[in-house]
Amino acid sequence: MQQLSQTETYSLSGLSAACLAVLVNAWKSDGEPLFASLAISGIAFAFTYACIRWTGHVFIKRGYKGRDMSKKTPVEIPEAIGLICALVYLLAIVNFLPFAFKRDIVEVTSGAGNKVNLLEAQHLETGRFLHRFPLEKLASYGFAYGTLASMTILGILDDSFDMRWRHKFFIPAFAALPMLALYFVDFGVTHVVVPLPLRQYVGELIDLGGFYYLYMAAIAIFCPNCINILAGINGIEVGQSIVIAALIAFNDILYLLPSVQPHPAADSHLFSMYLLLPFIGVSLALLKHNWFPAKVFVGDTYCYFAGMVFAVVGILGHFSKTLLLLFIPQIFNFCYSAPQLFGIVPCPRHRLPRFNARTGLLEPSVTTFSDDKPLRPIVGEALKILHKVKLLRVQQGDSGRVTETTNFTILNLWLVWRGPLREDRLAVEILAMQTAVGLLGLWVRHSCSKLLFTADNRF
Amino acid sequence: MQQLSQTETYSLSGLSAACLAVLVNAWKSDGEPLFASLAISGIAFAFTYACIRWTGHVFIKRGYKGRDMSKKTPVEIPEAIGLICALVYLLAIVNFLPFAFKRDIVEVTSGAGNKVNLLEAQHLETGRFLHRFPLEKLASYGFAYGTLASMTILGILDDSFDMRWRHKFFIPAFAALPMLALYFVDFGVTHVVVPLPLRQYVGELIDLGGFYYLYMAAIAIFCPNCINILAGINGIEVGQSIVIAALIAFNDILYLLPSVQPHPAADSHLFSMYLLLPFIGVSLALLKHNWFPAKVFVGDTYCYFAGMVFAVVGILGHFSKTLLLLFIPQIFNFCYSAPQLFGIVPCPRHRLPRFNARTGLLEPSVTTFSDDKPLRPIVGEALKILHKVKLLRVQQGDSGRVTETTNFTILNLWLVWRGPLREDRLAVEILAMQTAVGLLGLWVRHSCSKLLFTADNRF
């Protein structure tokens, strides 16, 4: 069992104590749930941090372990540690609930003489008078929790049993069912607003009906798998998740600024904030251990869980299109990977960048085509064009035939552009690029939506 | 991979097809959700049955396996199969939701001209008009789902990682947190009605405050652990769970009979029925494979999951005291086990009945006390008294010292009373006893509650 260092123990204890004080104060003063959420996220960070250290050896003992092949001396480190994040996160969300609704409880029980009513025996069967209580929010929390817990179960199963890729791909759809059921039962709106230029053809609104549910299921499948595919170097899975979470939170803040209140979507974005802050908390604790040189691996559980958190806030917060804008690097990576994923170009088992033990740097990994299994000529020509526009690097034999190509992932492509990089440098550059693209996406979304719709949600 | 026999395939397909027809009909006619729940439970049975057969080898491959020591030739069979039940159950509950609320959706969207309103653009942000929609029920489903999914996660962890008994014992409390949070936020009543004879002292109502939450947490810890402790022979974990579920369902029906309508608690008991029927479905499929001679083991996942289903319906349905009446054999077993569980009498690693390979029958297992580790005299005297009242069988040495005692479980006690029995015979007798005790408990509850309170809930 790996112990926390003394500095770590003091820092984490101090952080937890400060957060607890904030929590107690928030409870007593019926304060802003946002402060309580921040405080709980701080505690979640400290608890995750300590738990990763305390329980790592248990994972190794039970066979959840792997070797980091991008190191000079690969040692066995725990795998599937994202499970700890998921558990602490779920615990944090549950413990946040009383804070989220404290004000409403006070308002409901103190208003209209209900406190007196409450003491009458017959109300023991019916509970409080609830007509002023925001029950629809409560149901959202319940089903968000259910969806994320389901995703955790399926993530564990994926990390425990070897699943085939084509089975794994659809796993998130099952986990998303509670959320879709809630949407069906509660919200139920399957109309979308038509952009201005198209209104003369189809009208102001269009009812997508069942397709809207397919769209939501697609989001729920897409987000987790995207994060799972953009993986392979230390810290990239957690790093990209934190960047996305921070960008969504930034977008939420735009709707929560005092200057734009009252805003019809403020409640949805508060809900999003409450779900994202603890996620950022547990993820930072994981990043600390997964960053180069990694002490733990995150596992599919984390990738699925992170992706599903985003799908939940995007769908239940009704900003799934904006969400997709923040996934542009992942979407690019998915499309770019498609030729290998769908077998047009042969796909090796691992496509992560190749570690050059002599220089200590990462280089693009390659797939070679032997003479007995050559590429189809048309595919070869396509690869040559991609090479010319610098979207690949191929090697040609004497006959002009393509004998080798870099693998189709954004990480390899970045290394083609930038030359060999150390693992942490590559991670930093990818995350910086992702942040820049995300901010650009948000800027476009808020400045251009007025051209397409009658009003931006923000104003 | 073990295939289904042709008869099984036809039977299961036929059952599923019939249930699907009922479902489609229920959807079209906005029929009783109870029929939909029954149909979904039938499908859940068929699906669980097939999945156990299909995926058993995967469990063995991943190390979830064990040998049944009460057989002449113990072969390796899959362990922790209850996981399949839990997953199918959760899937069933989610798919039932649209049926549960179909009528309400129709009523809300077709009444008061809301259909027209729905088509106006601004409602895309706020969803349907919801003031007539039973959102408090929806929240209950969400949190019940979240609680059961959490229990499944922790059950998997328990089956995967070797946990210490003192850690395992409190696991269910964590899983129950979503439910307790819901109760705190939504219902919030911590008063209990005082029985008539005590009212002159403490008044009609008494506010238990925080103790009420401790009481609910205790129920949530108690139910899963009770089922986990009354275990050790083929079919007993699943069998007892089915008996309890059937008894709760029987009690629910008493509140749902047309002759007692409208009843204030009818909704709570419908909720309970909707949660129990699919549970009975998946459990019957498991029982078929776990019954003597067992083809699979159920694992802690099942015991925890089953117990938590009961805790959820008892607490969210507001009949936790009645629930405890149905756990009398388990409560007896727990109290009876206490001397060994708490170390007053030495406890061997396994206390299940001993298999006599010569006769093929089960006999009470015993713990022997060697000369260097004798019993404390006072404990020995207590055991002798228990022997006299036939609650144990002890062996005494020449000096009158206790040298051996049967182990403290209800299964061993039953064998002391009835003599050696075949494994399935023992299971049948225990389940019959449990059914009889449970029915008696319900009869006492409904006939005597008028003496203690001003009105029975039933009338």
Side-chain angles (χ1 to χ4, degrees):
Chain A
M1 186 152 107
Q2 225 185 332
Q3 296 292 339
L4 293 168
S5 76
Q6 206 166 35
T7 325
E8 286 174 327
T9 309
Y10 286 138
S11 316
L12 294 179
S13 311
L15 174 66
S16 303
C19 289
L20 263 180
V22 173
L23 266 190
V24 171
N25 191 43
W27 186 256
K28 279 193 184 150
S29 62
D30 302 339
E32 271 296 339
L34 199 56
F35 294 128
S37 179
L38 271 169
I40 284 179
S41 305
I43 296 173
F45 168 83
F47 193 54
T48 309
Y49 194 105
C51 276
I52 291 175
R53 210 59 79 73
W54 289 334
T55 62
H57 67 290
V58 182
F59 282 76
I60 291 188
K61 214 168 82 186
R62 183 64 184 132
Y64 296 101
K65 59 189 175 185
R67 285 179 198 279
D68 190 342
M69 300 317 288
S70 304
K71 301 288 176 295
K72 282 189 179 167
T73 49
V75 292
E76 271 191 346
I77 57 177
E79 167 69 282
I81 292 297
L83 174 58
I84 296 175
C85 293
L87 293 179
V88 175
Y89 178 84
L90 291 174
L91 207 55
I93 291 294
V94 167
N95 281 291
F96 171 65
L97 275 183
F99 294 94
F101 291 95
K102 178 80 192 293
R103 283 182 174 182
D104 300 304
I105 296 173
V106 171
E107 197 178 305
V108 169
T109 51
S110 65
N114 282 333
K115 212 156 204 167
V116 184
N117 282 334
L118 205 67
L119 294 176
E120 286 174 24
Q122 60 265 40
H123 289 123
L124 290 192
E125 263 185 358
T126 54
R128 302 188 186 101
F129 274 92
L130 290 168
H131 49 267
R132 288 169 61 202
F133 192 81
L135 274 166
E136 68 288 353
K137 275 202 280 172
L138 188 59
S140 294
Y141 280 101
F143 282 87
Y145 183 94
T147 299
L148 294 172
S150 306
M151 193 69 257
T152 308
I153 296 177
L154 297 174
I156 299 173
L157 294 186
D158 181 23
D159 276 332
S160 296
F161 301 97
D162 285 328
M163 288 206 197
R164 297 201 196 119
W165 193 80
R166 62 173 184 275
H167 292 161
K168 283 166 72 153
F169 189 75
F170 293 100
I171 280 183
F174 285 96
L177 281 177
M179 180 167 61
L180 298 185
L182 171 71
Y183 196 93
F184 178 82
V185 169
D186 178 10
F187 203 77
V189 173
T190 54
H191 297 71
V192 290
V193 182
V194 175
L196 285 176
L198 297 176
R199 285 204 187 158
Q200 44 182 315
Y201 307 112
V202 293
E204 192 190 354
L205 282 174
I206 188 165
D207 186 0
L208 295 180
F211 288 106
Y212 198 78
Y213 290 92
L214 283 183
Y215 164 70
M216 288 190 288
I219 299 265
I221 292 176
F222 171 80
C223 294
N225 279 303
C226 263
I227 291 174
N228 211 5
I229 289 172
L230 179 40
I233 64 171
N234 291 172
I236 198 73
E237 297 95 340
V238 192
Q240 66 177 315
S241 302
I242 292 176
V243 169
I244 294 172
L247 287 168
I248 303 177
F250 172 71
N251 183 52
D252 288 336
I253 290 171
L254 295 182
Y255 292 83
L256 298 172
L257 293 174
S259 59
V260 298
Q261 298 308 322
H263 192 291
D267 267 353
S268 300
H269 287 278
L270 261 179
F271 177 75
S272 163
M273 283 293 267
Y274 297 154
L275 290 190
L276 286 173
L277 289 176
F279 175 76
I280 294 176
V282 299
S283 295
L284 284 174
L286 182 59
L287 184 65
K288 178 72 179 59
H289 292 87
N290 183 238
W291 191 254
F292 177 88
K295 301 277 181 302
V296 303
F297 287 131
V298 301
D300 288 349
T301 308
Y302 181 80
C303 300
Y304 283 156
F305 188 78
M308 195 53 89
V309 169
F310 303 142
V312 165
V313 300
I315 290 177
L316 295 184
H318 312 296
F319 55 84
S320 54
K321 279 167 294 171
T322 308
L323 180 71
L324 289 180
L325 278 180
L326 303 177
F327 272 88
I328 289 173
Q330 283 78 12
I331 295 173
F332 173 81
N333 186 52
F334 181 79
C335 299
Y336 184 61
S337 294
Q340 286 196 316
L341 293 184
F342 298 120
I344 300 169
V345 175
C347 181
R349 177 138 173 70
H350 292 293
R351 305 186 298 161
L352 55 158
R354 197 177 74 82
F355 177 65
N356 185 329
R358 200 176 46 79
T359 60
L361 302 180
L362 293 182
E363 296 167 359
S365 65
V366 296
T367 297
T368 53
F369 311 110
S370 57
D371 284 341
D372 41 305
K373 269 194 178 179
L375 270 184
R376 269 180 294 159
I378 176 124
V379 176
E381 291 309 311
L383 295 192
K384 280 184 204 166
I385 294 171
L386 286 175
H387 176 80
K388 277 212 186 100
V389 296
K390 302 223 168 182
L391 279 173
L392 267 185
R393 190 161 68 207
V394 305
Q395 297 281 342
Q396 299 183 26
D398 299 335
S399 57
R401 247 192 40 225
V402 173
T403 55
E404 178 185 296
T405 172
T406 54
N407 282 316
F408 294 62
T409 74
I410 200 171
L411 296 177
N412 287 313
L413 180 60
W414 196 264
L415 291 170
V416 166
W417 289 344
R418 299 269 297 119
L421 293 172
R422 210 173 77 154
E423 194 168 0
D424 52 345
R425 175 81 203 194
L426 175 60
V428 165
E429 291 190 7
I430 292 284
L431 296 180
M433 177 273 291
Q434 188 197 355
T435 311
V437 170
L439 287 174
L440 186 70
L442 286 182
W443 178 76
V444 169
R445 185 242 172 282
H446 286 289
S447 57
C448 297
S449 61
K450 275 195 203 155
L451 301 178
L452 294 175
F453 301 101
T454 45
D456 180 14
N457 289 338
R458 203 185 136 198
F459 301 105
Chain B
M1 186 154 107
Q2 224 184 333
Q3 296 293 340
L4 294 167
S5 75
Q6 206 166 32
T7 325
E8 285 173 328
T9 309
Y10 286 139
S11 316
L12 294 179
S13 310
L15 174 67
S16 304
C19 290
L20 262 181
V22 173
L23 267 190
V24 170
N25 190 43
W27 185 255
K28 279 195 183 150
S29 62
D30 301 338
E32 272 296 338
L34 199 56
F35 294 125
S37 180
L38 272 169
I40 284 180
S41 305
I43 296 172
F45 169 82
F47 193 53
T48 309
Y49 193 105
C51 275
I52 290 176
R53 211 58 79 74
W54 290 334
T55 63
H57 67 291
V58 182
F59 282 76
I60 291 188
K61 214 168 82 186
R62 182 63 184 132
Y64 296 102
K65 59 188 175 185
R67 285 178 198 279
D68 190 343
M69 299 318 288
S70 304
K71 300 290 174 296
K72 283 191 177 167
T73 49
V75 291
E76 272 190 345
I77 57 177
E79 166 70 283
I81 292 297
L83 175 57
I84 296 176
C85 292
L87 294 179
V88 175
Y89 178 85
L90 291 174
L91 207 55
I93 290 294
V94 166
N95 281 293
F96 171 65
L97 275 183
F99 294 94
F101 291 96
K102 178 80 192 295
R103 283 183 174 181
D104 300 305
I105 295 172
V106 171
E107 195 177 307
V108 169
T109 50
S110 65
N114 283 332
K115 213 156 203 169
V116 184
N117 283 333
L118 205 67
L119 293 175
E120 285 173 25
Q122 60 264 38
H123 289 124
L124 290 190
E125 263 185 358
T126 54
R128 300 190 186 100
F129 275 93
L130 290 168
H131 47 268
R132 287 169 62 202
F133 191 80
L135 274 166
E136 69 288 351
K137 274 202 283 171
L138 187 59
S140 293
Y141 280 100
F143 282 87
Y145 183 95
T147 299
L148 293 171
S150 305
M151 193 70 256
T152 308
I153 297 176
L154 297 173
I156 299 173
L157 294 186
D158 181 22
D159 276 332
S160 296
F161 301 98
D162 285 328
M163 289 206 195
R164 300 202 195 118
W165 194 80
R166 63 175 185 275
H167 293 161
K168 283 166 71 155
F169 190 76
F170 294 99
I171 279 183
F174 286 97
L177 281 176
M179 181 169 59
L180 298 184
L182 171 70
Y183 196 92
F184 179 82
V185 169
D186 178 10
F187 203 79
V189 174
T190 54
H191 297 70
V192 290
V193 183
V194 175
L196 287 177
L198 297 176
R199 286 206 184 156
Q200 44 183 316
Y201 307 111
V202 293
E204 193 191 355
L205 280 175
I206 188 165
D207 186 1
L208 295 180
F211 288 105
Y212 197 78
Y213 289 92
L214 283 184
Y215 163 70
M216 287 190 288
I219 298 266
I221 292 176
F222 171 80
C223 294
N225 278 303
C226 263
I227 291 173
N228 210 7
I229 288 173
L230 179 41
I233 64 172
N234 291 173
I236 197 73
E237 298 96 339
V238 192
Q240 66 178 311
S241 303
I242 292 176
V243 168
I244 294 172
L247 287 168
I248 303 177
F250 172 72
N251 183 51
D252 289 336
I253 290 173
L254 296 182
Y255 293 83
L256 298 173
L257 293 173
S259 58
V260 298
Q261 297 309 320
H263 192 289
D267 267 353
S268 299
H269 288 278
L270 261 179
F271 177 75
S272 163
M273 282 294 268
Y274 296 154
L275 290 191
L276 287 173
L277 289 177
F279 175 74
I280 294 176
V282 299
S283 295
L284 283 175
L286 183 58
L287 185 65
K288 177 75 180 57
H289 291 87
N290 183 236
W291 189 254
F292 177 87
K295 301 276 182 304
V296 304
F297 288 130
V298 300
D300 288 350
T301 308
Y302 180 80
C303 300
Y304 283 156
F305 187 79
M308 195 53 89
V309 169
F310 303 142
V312 165
V313 301
I315 290 176
L316 295 184
H318 311 297
F319 55 85
S320 55
K321 278 166 293 172
T322 308
L323 180 70
L324 288 181
L325 278 180
L326 304 177
F327 272 88
I328 289 174
Q330 284 80 9
I331 296 174
F332 173 81
N333 186 51
F334 181 79
C335 299
Y336 183 62
S337 294
Q340 285 195 319
L341 293 183
F342 299 120
I344 299 168
V345 175
C347 181
R349 176 139 174 67
H350 291 294
R351 304 187 299 161
L352 55 157
R354 197 177 74 81
F355 176 67
N356 185 329
R358 199 175 48 74
T359 60
L361 302 180
L362 293 183
E363 297 167 359
S365 66
V366 296
T367 298
T368 52
F369 310 111
S370 58
D371 284 341
D372 41 306
K373 268 194 179 177
L375 270 185
R376 270 181 294 160
I378 175 126
V379 176
E381 291 309 311
L383 294 193
K384 280 185 204 162
I385 294 171
L386 286 175
H387 176 81
K388 278 212 184 98
V389 297
K390 302 225 166 177
L391 279 174
L392 266 186
R393 188 160 69 206
V394 304
Q395 298 281 342
Q396 299 184 24
D398 299 335
S399 56
R401 244 192 43 223
V402 173
T403 55
E404 180 186 295
T405 173
T406 53
N407 282 316
F408 293 62
T409 74
I410 199 171
L411 296 177
N412 286 314
L413 180 59
W414 196 264
L415 290 172
V416 167
W417 288 344
R418 299 268 297 116
L421 294 172
R422 209 173 78 152
E423 195 168 0
D424 51 346
R425 174 83 203 195
L426 175 60
V428 165
E429 291 190 6
I430 292 284
L431 296 180
M433 177 273 291
Q434 188 196 356
T435 311
V437 171
L439 287 174
L440 186 71
L442 285 183
W443 179 76
V444 169
R445 185 240 173 283
H446 286 290
S447 56
C448 297
S449 62
K450 275 196 204 154
L451 302 178
L452 293 174
F453 300 102
T454 44
D456 179 14
N457 288 337
R458 204 185 134 197
F459 302 104

